[in-house]
Amino acid sequence: MKKTLITACALFLTSAATFAQLSTNPDKFLGNITTSYNNDVDTHGFIFSDYWNQITPENCTKWDAIEPSRGNFTFGNADKSANYAEKHNFPFKYHTLIWGGQYPSWMNNLSTSEQYSALVEYFDAVKEHYPDLEIIDVVNEAIPGHNPAPYKAALGGDGRTGYDWIVKAFEMASERWPNAILIYNDFNTFRWQKTEFINLVRVLRDYGAPIDAYGCQSHDLTDMGSEEFYNAMDEIQGALKMPMYSTEYDIGTSDDNLQLQRYKEQIPYFWKADYCAGVTLWGWIYGNTWTTDGNSGLIRDGKERPALTWLREYMQTDEAKNAKSPYPGFKKEASIYVHPAAMKVAKKDVLPIKVRATMATKTIEKIDLYVGDELVATMTEEPYIAEYEVGSSTGTKTVKAVVTTTDGSTYERLARFTVANGTKRGPYNETAPVLPGVIQAEEYDKGMSGVSFNNVLRENFTTTSLKDGAWMEYTVDVAEDGFYIMEAEVASKKSDGLLHLSEYGFDDLTFFTNLTEVPNTGSTTEFKTMRCPLIKPLTAGRHILCLNIDKGGFYVKSMNFKLATTFDVPGTVEAEDYFNGNADIVQTADGYALGNATADTWAEYLVDVTQAGKYSYEATVSSAVDGSKFSIVLIESDGTEKSLATVTVPNTGSNDTYQVKSGKIRNTIPEGQQRLRVKVTAGNCNIDKLKLICTETGIDEVTRDDMAAGASYNLAGQQVDAGYKGIIIRNGKKIINR
Ligand code: XIL
């Protein structure tokens, strides 16, 4: 009796196993993609989860599918895969955030700074819809000559690392999904662009960008011999020593034997590698896959091809079941990024090195930092920064951070820097310029090419002639926190020059200005002032600012950093004194105004609201057409946007004839430092000034929770005694005390 029971059980287990997914390794997945554009998961009579345990949507998480028109997000198809994966408890991968293929074509019609806004909106929308993504192809196919995003300038372009825009994309992804495995993915990584692939990923790694793994698409392996393939795998891993994925594997051939042979040669090499976290095949139904007329499919005419039969058997071997992965349970435990302050440094200099390390569930006990074999620091407290004293041996050095957690596990991450013969970096003069103040363009930091400047010469010590991709850094001391405006004196006889200001900080790569066009001044000796508002505040203290020449051919003489004007509210905002925006400035009879502003013209102002309450506005405006409109939005210090008013500008007969247009402001305005945004939505108008008049104070004070019950307050919120005559607030109500 007992014996029969056991047999029955065993039988049951065996038959269940036949229908389980192919890989039963809990730490390494064998995934596949959706079939056809309508995003089938189960397809052609076959159940996806009988075979695969990870899903990548073939097309429907590409940007063009997610946001077909600007601001219109469609997640319906993507949700089919995401829900399927969730139901079966296996990973869903977002493929892909940034790619030069399958992005929405409306991006091509936007200015660089609008493209950046669109990117932020896209990332935010994906974050809102999928807050807990576990695996993301952050950037796809960025190797020059592959398919780099044509809108890469919006992310900072090449910049000092050569791949600033990719660093930025990873930072934006990491901010939103700190626990996701962030992947850089590309094709031809095993064959033609192997070196370029290694170099690109290594730059990201050495810079300390939050990249966790590299993805090798693996579309290119059908006619690749096994030795060459093994060597390529080894070479890439040897150089990067990071987790990897085979992300889009397919062997496109109608020849069953050739397909089987490649599977047998290649799959175990991926699978056995302890640095490989998973393999995703790119399609499985013959005739319905992307490559070579669909003949990479594994199920043909309803029957399994030999490669699939073999794959199932292989996945049941001990070798496959026990293979190790860098991501046990498919999850990322450690996020470790090592960032030497410079990728190149002079002999005998001091190089700060920062380790950014966070654990998903464990606790860090210590971090050991090595340069070569030498243990240079053991750190137990954040921030994990070591000041490394560079010796006199030149060459490339490898930095290794070993993070030990309280349960005794260790996690490693590498970076590199180069020691070269040359001048140590430092400010050009004895003391660094103080901001607010002026920086002379030719007085960029002393040091070596590739450390404090690149591709630039000091010309006659007055101006600097700039080439594409040139950059120069300036050590400065910022005296006061605040929003600044950089006014640069430039000379150019063409109008396609572009520049931006950045800082290669320890925690992130900060863009202080948008990529800004350099005006045509008529000649290379005629200097004019161009205005670049800083889009983030500068904090007091030492900074190293980097001036990036994204498209060169012009001269810069100086950069004057001024604190942006802050307007008091109630009071008058002078429209031309915006600190950020894209509006043109024109002259009026007695000053300046925003001129000829059309839809999508915008300007932002710093305001200090001294009185909370209800407001009305008086806008001094002009227009030669009917139907011009602009909106006024308040951005509170926490980023909350409050719509204040939509102003309809009358046709005043000409842009030089101004009228005052007044109206009510919809929302109450709270006290404090805030930003005001004016955005033109239709027509063509000039905006001279905007007076904000407080019509009723005490609005916010009424609801203030520190007001004692029964006590009386005036409309400014100050406590008054019971004999106070006039309007008072008591118990949250306004009353008149006669
Ligand atoms: C392919 C899809 O399979 C096709 O359906 C689509 O028409 C084009 O894109 N590298 C990638 C994948 O990262 O997104 C591509 O997918 C194949 C190459």
Side-chain angles (χ1 to χ4, degrees), residues 33 37 58-59 62 95-96 99 102 137 140-141 185 187 217 219 248 282 289-290:
I33 59 170
Y37 270 88
E58 183 176 19
N59 290 297
K62 292 170 182 172
H95 170 78
T96 168
W99 184 28
Q102 294 175 282
D137 284 335
N140 199 29
E141 301 184 353
N185 193 45
F187 70 89
Q217 288 185 7
H219 288 297
E248 305 182 14
W282 205 253
T289 63
W290 172 65

PDB file of all heavy atoms in Angstrom, residues 33 37 58-59 62 95-96 99 102 137 140-141 185 187 217 219 248 282 289-290, ligand 1:
ATOM      1  N   ILE A  33      10.490  36.356 -25.524  1.00  0.00           N
ATOM      2  CA  ILE A  33       9.787  37.607 -25.792  1.00  0.00           C
ATOM      3  C   ILE A  33       8.342  37.329 -26.187  1.00  0.00           C
ATOM      4  O   ILE A  33       7.955  36.182 -26.421  1.00  0.00           O
ATOM      5  CB  ILE A  33      10.472  38.412 -26.920  1.00  0.00           C
ATOM      6  CG1 ILE A  33      10.524  37.601 -28.229  1.00  0.00           C
ATOM      7  CG2 ILE A  33      11.852  38.843 -26.496  1.00  0.00           C
ATOM      8  CD1 ILE A  33      10.970  38.403 -29.439  1.00  0.00           C
ATOM      9  N   TYR A  37       3.214  41.833 -32.994  1.00  0.00           N
ATOM     10  CA  TYR A  37       3.003  43.179 -32.466  1.00  0.00           C
ATOM     11  C   TYR A  37       1.846  43.273 -31.478  1.00  0.00           C
ATOM     12  O   TYR A  37       1.792  44.175 -30.672  1.00  0.00           O
ATOM     13  CB  TYR A  37       2.809  44.172 -33.608  1.00  0.00           C
ATOM     14  CG  TYR A  37       4.120  44.760 -34.041  1.00  0.00           C
ATOM     15  CD1 TYR A  37       4.905  44.133 -35.004  1.00  0.00           C
ATOM     16  CD2 TYR A  37       4.600  45.931 -33.449  1.00  0.00           C
ATOM     17  CE1 TYR A  37       6.120  44.672 -35.376  1.00  0.00           C
ATOM     18  CE2 TYR A  37       5.811  46.475 -33.823  1.00  0.00           C
ATOM     19  CZ  TYR A  37       6.565  45.852 -34.791  1.00  0.00           C
ATOM     20  OH  TYR A  37       7.763  46.384 -35.153  1.00  0.00           O
ATOM     21  N   GLU A  58       8.575  42.352 -26.934  1.00  0.00           N
ATOM     22  CA  GLU A  58       9.393  42.534 -28.136  1.00  0.00           C
ATOM     23  C   GLU A  58       9.389  43.993 -28.593  1.00  0.00           C
ATOM     24  O   GLU A  58      10.416  44.508 -29.031  1.00  0.00           O
ATOM     25  CB  GLU A  58       8.891  41.644 -29.281  1.00  0.00           C
ATOM     26  CG  GLU A  58       9.769  41.752 -30.521  1.00  0.00           C
ATOM     27  CD  GLU A  58       9.362  40.814 -31.647  1.00  0.00           C
ATOM     28  OE1 GLU A  58       8.215  40.326 -31.637  1.00  0.00           O
ATOM     29  OE2 GLU A  58      10.198  40.573 -32.533  1.00  0.00           O
ATOM     30  N   ASN A  59       8.248  44.651 -28.505  1.00  0.00           N
ATOM     31  CA  ASN A  59       8.165  46.036 -28.979  1.00  0.00           C
ATOM     32  C   ASN A  59       7.406  46.989 -28.061  1.00  0.00           C
ATOM     33  O   ASN A  59       7.599  48.188 -28.137  1.00  0.00           O
ATOM     34  CB  ASN A  59       7.493  46.083 -30.359  1.00  0.00           C
ATOM     35  CG  ASN A  59       8.391  45.488 -31.436  1.00  0.00           C
ATOM     36  OD1 ASN A  59       9.469  46.011 -31.707  1.00  0.00           O
ATOM     37  ND2 ASN A  59       7.964  44.379 -32.021  1.00  0.00           N
ATOM     38  N   LYS A  62       8.912  49.856 -25.905  1.00  0.00           N
ATOM     39  CA  LYS A  62       9.784  50.833 -26.552  1.00  0.00           C
ATOM     40  C   LYS A  62       9.056  52.180 -26.506  1.00  0.00           C
ATOM     41  O   LYS A  62       7.821  52.234 -26.455  1.00  0.00           O
ATOM     42  CB  LYS A  62      10.099  50.380 -27.971  1.00  0.00           C
ATOM     43  CG  LYS A  62      10.992  49.117 -27.943  1.00  0.00           C
ATOM     44  CD  LYS A  62      11.165  48.463 -29.278  1.00  0.00           C
ATOM     45  CE  LYS A  62      12.016  47.194 -29.122  1.00  0.00           C
ATOM     46  NZ  LYS A  62      12.054  46.407 -30.377  1.00  0.00           N
ATOM     47  N   HIS A  95      12.223  46.942 -21.802  1.00  0.00           N
ATOM     48  CA  HIS A  95      13.148  47.099 -22.939  1.00  0.00           C
ATOM     49  C   HIS A  95      12.535  48.098 -23.907  1.00  0.00           C
ATOM     50  O   HIS A  95      11.537  47.770 -24.539  1.00  0.00           O
ATOM     51  CB  HIS A  95      13.341  45.732 -23.613  1.00  0.00           C
ATOM     52  CG  HIS A  95      14.062  45.782 -24.926  1.00  0.00           C
ATOM     53  ND1 HIS A  95      15.420  45.909 -25.018  1.00  0.00           N
ATOM     54  CD2 HIS A  95      13.603  45.728 -26.210  1.00  0.00           C
ATOM     55  CE1 HIS A  95      15.774  45.913 -26.309  1.00  0.00           C
ATOM     56  NE2 HIS A  95      14.696  45.811 -27.046  1.00  0.00           N
ATOM     57  N   THR A  96      13.007  49.278 -23.989  1.00  0.00           N
ATOM     58  CA  THR A  96      14.174  49.886 -23.412  1.00  0.00           C
ATOM     59  C   THR A  96      13.907  51.376 -23.232  1.00  0.00           C
ATOM     60  O   THR A  96      13.100  51.936 -23.975  1.00  0.00           O
ATOM     61  CB  THR A  96      15.408  49.665 -24.322  1.00  0.00           C
ATOM     62  OG1 THR A  96      16.502  50.483 -23.929  1.00  0.00           O
ATOM     63  CG2 THR A  96      15.095  49.986 -25.786  1.00  0.00           C
ATOM     64  N   TRP A  99      16.890  54.670 -26.737  1.00  0.00           N
ATOM     65  CA  TRP A  99      17.383  53.975 -27.921  1.00  0.00           C
ATOM     66  C   TRP A  99      17.149  54.850 -29.146  1.00  0.00           C
ATOM     67  O   TRP A  99      16.146  55.568 -29.201  1.00  0.00           O
ATOM     68  CB  TRP A  99      16.616  52.642 -28.067  1.00  0.00           C
ATOM     69  CG  TRP A  99      17.051  51.747 -29.177  1.00  0.00           C
ATOM     70  CD1 TRP A  99      18.305  51.670 -29.740  1.00  0.00           C
ATOM     71  CD2 TRP A  99      16.242  50.777 -29.868  1.00  0.00           C
ATOM     72  NE1 TRP A  99      18.326  50.709 -30.725  1.00  0.00           N
ATOM     73  CE2 TRP A  99      17.073  50.151 -30.828  1.00  0.00           C
ATOM     74  CE3 TRP A  99      14.918  50.376 -29.766  1.00  0.00           C
ATOM     75  CZ2 TRP A  99      16.611  49.145 -31.677  1.00  0.00           C
ATOM     76  CZ3 TRP A  99      14.457  49.378 -30.611  1.00  0.00           C
ATOM     77  CH2 TRP A  99      15.297  48.765 -31.543  1.00  0.00           C
ATOM     78  N   GLN A 102      12.947  53.077 -32.734  1.00  0.00           N
ATOM     79  CA  GLN A 102      11.620  52.983 -32.122  1.00  0.00           C
ATOM     80  C   GLN A 102      11.389  53.964 -30.963  1.00  0.00           C
ATOM     81  O   GLN A 102      10.887  53.591 -29.917  1.00  0.00           O
ATOM     82  CB  GLN A 102      11.353  51.531 -31.718  1.00  0.00           C
ATOM     83  CG  GLN A 102      11.252  50.642 -32.965  1.00  0.00           C
ATOM     84  CD  GLN A 102      11.105  49.170 -32.644  1.00  0.00           C
ATOM     85  OE1 GLN A 102      12.075  48.494 -32.312  1.00  0.00           O
ATOM     86  NE2 GLN A 102       9.884  48.673 -32.710  1.00  0.00           N
ATOM     87  N   ASP A 137      16.575  47.604 -19.502  1.00  0.00           N
ATOM     88  CA  ASP A 137      17.591  47.980 -20.477  1.00  0.00           C
ATOM     89  C   ASP A 137      17.545  49.500 -20.540  1.00  0.00           C
ATOM     90  O   ASP A 137      16.680  50.071 -21.205  1.00  0.00           O
ATOM     91  CB  ASP A 137      17.265  47.405 -21.865  1.00  0.00           C
ATOM     92  CG  ASP A 137      17.567  45.916 -21.966  1.00  0.00           C
ATOM     93  OD1 ASP A 137      18.418  45.431 -21.200  1.00  0.00           O
ATOM     94  OD2 ASP A 137      16.941  45.245 -22.807  1.00  0.00           O
ATOM     95  N   ASN A 140      20.136  51.353 -25.089  1.00  0.00           N
ATOM     96  CA  ASN A 140      20.279  50.294 -26.082  1.00  0.00           C
ATOM     97  C   ASN A 140      21.095  50.802 -27.273  1.00  0.00           C
ATOM     98  O   ASN A 140      20.870  51.925 -27.750  1.00  0.00           O
ATOM     99  CB  ASN A 140      18.864  49.894 -26.548  1.00  0.00           C
ATOM    100  CG  ASN A 140      18.797  48.534 -27.211  1.00  0.00           C
ATOM    101  OD1 ASN A 140      19.586  47.629 -26.905  1.00  0.00           O
ATOM    102  ND2 ASN A 140      17.846  48.370 -28.117  1.00  0.00           N
ATOM    103  N   GLU A 141      22.044  50.009 -27.716  1.00  0.00           N
ATOM    104  CA  GLU A 141      22.735  50.228 -29.003  1.00  0.00           C
ATOM    105  C   GLU A 141      23.349  51.607 -29.185  1.00  0.00           C
ATOM    106  O   GLU A 141      23.178  52.255 -30.223  1.00  0.00           O
ATOM    107  CB  GLU A 141      21.765  49.922 -30.152  1.00  0.00           C
ATOM    108  CG  GLU A 141      21.254  48.499 -30.097  1.00  0.00           C
ATOM    109  CD  GLU A 141      20.353  48.111 -31.265  1.00  0.00           C
ATOM    110  OE1 GLU A 141      19.999  48.982 -32.074  1.00  0.00           O
ATOM    111  OE2 GLU A 141      20.015  46.913 -31.368  1.00  0.00           O
ATOM    112  N   ASN A 185      22.730  47.612 -23.061  1.00  0.00           N
ATOM    113  CA  ASN A 185      22.498  46.509 -23.994  1.00  0.00           C
ATOM    114  C   ASN A 185      22.983  46.885 -25.396  1.00  0.00           C
ATOM    115  O   ASN A 185      22.756  48.008 -25.850  1.00  0.00           O
ATOM    116  CB  ASN A 185      20.972  46.264 -24.016  1.00  0.00           C
ATOM    117  CG  ASN A 185      20.585  44.961 -24.673  1.00  0.00           C
ATOM    118  OD1 ASN A 185      21.197  43.917 -24.409  1.00  0.00           O
ATOM    119  ND2 ASN A 185      19.575  44.997 -25.524  1.00  0.00           N
ATOM    120  N   PHE A 187      24.380  45.205 -29.623  1.00  0.00           N
ATOM    121  CA  PHE A 187      24.539  44.066 -30.534  1.00  0.00           C
ATOM    122  C   PHE A 187      25.951  43.983 -31.092  1.00  0.00           C
ATOM    123  O   PHE A 187      26.742  44.906 -30.949  1.00  0.00           O
ATOM    124  CB  PHE A 187      23.497  44.105 -31.660  1.00  0.00           C
ATOM    125  CG  PHE A 187      23.666  45.203 -32.683  1.00  0.00           C
ATOM    126  CD1 PHE A 187      24.457  45.014 -33.815  1.00  0.00           C
ATOM    127  CD2 PHE A 187      23.004  46.408 -32.524  1.00  0.00           C
ATOM    128  CE1 PHE A 187      24.591  46.018 -34.777  1.00  0.00           C
ATOM    129  CE2 PHE A 187      23.135  47.416 -33.470  1.00  0.00           C
ATOM    130  CZ  PHE A 187      23.936  47.224 -34.599  1.00  0.00           C
ATOM    131  N   GLN A 217      23.282  41.246 -26.923  1.00  0.00           N
ATOM    132  CA  GLN A 217      22.049  40.844 -27.599  1.00  0.00           C
ATOM    133  C   GLN A 217      22.123  39.417 -28.144  1.00  0.00           C
ATOM    134  O   GLN A 217      21.154  38.692 -28.151  1.00  0.00           O
ATOM    135  CB  GLN A 217      21.715  41.831 -28.711  1.00  0.00           C
ATOM    136  CG  GLN A 217      21.228  43.171 -28.186  1.00  0.00           C
ATOM    137  CD  GLN A 217      20.788  44.113 -29.290  1.00  0.00           C
ATOM    138  OE1 GLN A 217      20.724  43.739 -30.467  1.00  0.00           O
ATOM    139  NE2 GLN A 217      20.490  45.340 -28.927  1.00  0.00           N
ATOM    140  N   HIS A 219      22.424  38.268 -31.313  1.00  0.00           N
ATOM    141  CA  HIS A 219      21.749  37.952 -32.576  1.00  0.00           C
ATOM    142  C   HIS A 219      22.743  37.452 -33.620  1.00  0.00           C
ATOM    143  O   HIS A 219      22.358  37.029 -34.687  1.00  0.00           O
ATOM    144  CB  HIS A 219      21.110  39.209 -33.177  1.00  0.00           C
ATOM    145  CG  HIS A 219      19.904  39.692 -32.452  1.00  0.00           C
ATOM    146  ND1 HIS A 219      18.749  38.953 -32.354  1.00  0.00           N
ATOM    147  CD2 HIS A 219      19.665  40.850 -31.782  1.00  0.00           C
ATOM    148  CE1 HIS A 219      17.852  39.642 -31.665  1.00  0.00           C
ATOM    149  NE2 HIS A 219      18.382  40.781 -31.301  1.00  0.00           N
ATOM    150  N   GLU A 248      19.110  38.720 -26.212  1.00  0.00           N
ATOM    151  CA  GLU A 248      18.262  38.550 -27.398  1.00  0.00           C
ATOM    152  C   GLU A 248      18.778  37.392 -28.246  1.00  0.00           C
ATOM    153  O   GLU A 248      18.949  37.506 -29.465  1.00  0.00           O
ATOM    154  CB  GLU A 248      18.231  39.867 -28.217  1.00  0.00           C
ATOM    155  CG  GLU A 248      17.794  41.066 -27.397  1.00  0.00           C
ATOM    156  CD  GLU A 248      17.700  42.384 -28.164  1.00  0.00           C
ATOM    157  OE1 GLU A 248      17.722  42.356 -29.404  1.00  0.00           O
ATOM    158  OE2 GLU A 248      17.609  43.432 -27.509  1.00  0.00           O
ATOM    159  N   TRP A 282      15.163  35.457 -28.378  1.00  0.00           N
ATOM    160  CA  TRP A 282      14.388  36.478 -29.103  1.00  0.00           C
ATOM    161  C   TRP A 282      13.404  35.791 -30.043  1.00  0.00           C
ATOM    162  O   TRP A 282      13.578  35.752 -31.247  1.00  0.00           O
ATOM    163  CB  TRP A 282      15.333  37.426 -29.846  1.00  0.00           C
ATOM    164  CG  TRP A 282      14.715  38.782 -30.095  1.00  0.00           C
ATOM    165  CD1 TRP A 282      14.280  39.269 -31.291  1.00  0.00           C
ATOM    166  CD2 TRP A 282      14.465  39.817 -29.132  1.00  0.00           C
ATOM    167  NE1 TRP A 282      13.773  40.537 -31.125  1.00  0.00           N
ATOM    168  CE2 TRP A 282      13.870  40.906 -29.811  1.00  0.00           C
ATOM    169  CE3 TRP A 282      14.673  39.915 -27.742  1.00  0.00           C
ATOM    170  CZ2 TRP A 282      13.487  42.085 -29.164  1.00  0.00           C
ATOM    171  CZ3 TRP A 282      14.297  41.091 -27.112  1.00  0.00           C
ATOM    172  CH2 TRP A 282      13.707  42.153 -27.816  1.00  0.00           C
ATOM    173  N   THR A 289       9.598  35.014 -35.930  1.00  0.00           N
ATOM    174  CA  THR A 289      10.670  35.704 -35.217  1.00  0.00           C
ATOM    175  C   THR A 289      11.270  36.751 -36.135  1.00  0.00           C
ATOM    176  O   THR A 289      11.059  36.736 -37.342  1.00  0.00           O
ATOM    177  CB  THR A 289      11.778  34.723 -34.755  1.00  0.00           C
ATOM    178  OG1 THR A 289      12.375  34.146 -35.914  1.00  0.00           O
ATOM    179  CG2 THR A 289      11.226  33.646 -33.847  1.00  0.00           C
ATOM    180  N   TRP A 290      12.020  37.650 -35.500  1.00  0.00           N
ATOM    181  CA  TRP A 290      12.491  38.848 -36.188  1.00  0.00           C
ATOM    182  C   TRP A 290      13.595  38.545 -37.207  1.00  0.00           C
ATOM    183  O   TRP A 290      13.591  39.092 -38.299  1.00  0.00           O
ATOM    184  CB  TRP A 290      12.983  39.830 -35.120  1.00  0.00           C
ATOM    185  CG  TRP A 290      13.667  41.044 -35.620  1.00  0.00           C
ATOM    186  CD1 TRP A 290      13.098  42.039 -36.361  1.00  0.00           C
ATOM    187  CD2 TRP A 290      15.027  41.415 -35.406  1.00  0.00           C
ATOM    188  NE1 TRP A 290      14.033  43.014 -36.616  1.00  0.00           N
ATOM    189  CE2 TRP A 290      15.212  42.663 -36.041  1.00  0.00           C
ATOM    190  CE3 TRP A 290      16.103  40.816 -34.734  1.00  0.00           C
ATOM    191  CZ2 TRP A 290      16.447  43.317 -36.025  1.00  0.00           C
ATOM    192  CZ3 TRP A 290      17.313  41.474 -34.713  1.00  0.00           C
ATOM    193  CH2 TRP A 290      17.484  42.707 -35.358  1.00  0.00           C
TER     194      TRP A 290
HETATM  195  C1  XIL B   1      13.168  44.205 -33.113  1.00  0.00           C
HETATM  196  C2  XIL B   1      11.831  43.506 -33.067  1.00  0.00           C
HETATM  197  O1  XIL B   1      12.050  42.149 -32.882  1.00  0.00           O
HETATM  198  C3  XIL B   1      11.057  43.765 -34.336  1.00  0.00           C
HETATM  199  O2  XIL B   1       9.745  43.276 -34.226  1.00  0.00           O
HETATM  200  C4  XIL B   1      11.015  45.275 -34.626  1.00  0.00           C
HETATM  201  O3  XIL B   1      10.428  45.478 -35.890  1.00  0.00           O
HETATM  202  C5  XIL B   1      12.394  45.864 -34.634  1.00  0.00           C
HETATM  203  O4  XIL B   1      13.019  45.581 -33.397  1.00  0.00           O
HETATM  204  N1  XIL B   1      17.810  44.838 -31.046  1.00  0.00           N
HETATM  205  C6  XIL B   1      16.875  45.153 -30.102  1.00  0.00           C
HETATM  206  C7  XIL B   1      15.464  44.760 -30.310  1.00  0.00           C
HETATM  207  O5  XIL B   1      17.237  45.675 -29.021  1.00  0.00           O
HETATM  208  O6  XIL B   1      14.570  45.657 -29.696  1.00  0.00           O
HETATM  209  C8  XIL B   1      15.132  44.605 -31.765  1.00  0.00           C
HETATM  210  O7  XIL B   1      13.794  44.098 -31.871  1.00  0.00           O
HETATM  211  C9  XIL B   1      16.113  43.694 -32.431  1.00  0.00           C
HETATM  212  C10 XIL B   1      17.510  44.251 -32.328  1.00  0.00           C
END
